[in-house]
Amino acid sequence: MTEIRDLYLDVAQAAAELLAAPEVAVAWDEPSALDQLSVRGLAGHLAAQVFFIPSMLADPVPVEPVVGLDEYYARAAWIGTDLDTEFNQGIRAGGEKVAGEGSEQLAARTAACVADLRETLPSEPDRPVRRSTWSGYSVSLDTFVASRMLELIVHCDDLAHSVGVPTPEFSAEAVQTVVDVLTRIALRRHGQTAVLRALSRSERAPASISAL
């Protein structure tokens, strides 16, 4: 098994445990910390980052050209877009749909999926995968796993903050991997001077170098 899959599985386990927290069930119908997204919608979106893996592996191997992680995010037209775009509306609707079974059932299904992935993911070849919404390209399985780990870590923090519990503690290696990816996205969006100043010179730091 590649290191990224090992890191992903540990992060996915933490996400499953967070989804099972009683505070999530209590706040299920409340607004989350993210604009226009309920706690249940955020929980559904978080769980989807686990469900995507077996779903994509069940599809035929795509024939579209494989792009790397940086190119994958360079092609992500949703980054930095308005909340009312069709894509972002779809994200919210998708999260609500995944969460439609209720908090207890969603947590149980996520935990079961993580357990299954611990058995199946290690032996999967690093073959191309893709989602139907992508136009003319695919990524390697390990690249997609890395992108889902980023989503899990970011949205675990969103969900934990939304329901008033501590953000899960992830391994240093997992966080470093995600921060590296976020930094590269931020460099492309904001330029090297802005990122350097944000990280080293508070007196000249820009208001934001948000990657997403």
Side-chain angles (χ1 to χ4, degrees), residues 109-193:
R109 185 156 71 99
T110 305
C113 188
V114 174
D116 288 344
L117 285 171
R118 286 198 181 277
E119 297 297 322
T120 60
L121 189 58
S123 60
E124 287 287 345
D126 190 21
R127 54 97 153 177
V129 296
R130 74 182 300 272
R131 297 185 64 190
S132 60
T133 54
W134 299 351
S135 179
Y137 67 95
S138 64
V139 299
S140 72
L141 174 59
D142 284 349
T143 291
F144 189 69
V145 166
S147 73
R148 293 316 93 185
M149 187 170 74
L150 184 152
E151 292 280 335
L152 285 172
I153 286 180
V154 168
H155 290 308
C156 274
D157 179 52
D158 291 332
L159 183 59
H161 181 71
S162 296
V163 303
V165 300
T167 299
E169 286 289 326
F170 306 107
S171 71
E173 294 82 2
V175 174
Q176 287 165 5
T177 299
V178 167
V179 169
D180 177 65
V181 176
L182 290 171
T183 302
R184 298 204 303 269
I185 299 171
L187 282 166
R188 186 173 61 251
R189 288 193 67 194
H190 303 284
Q192 61 179 317
T193 300

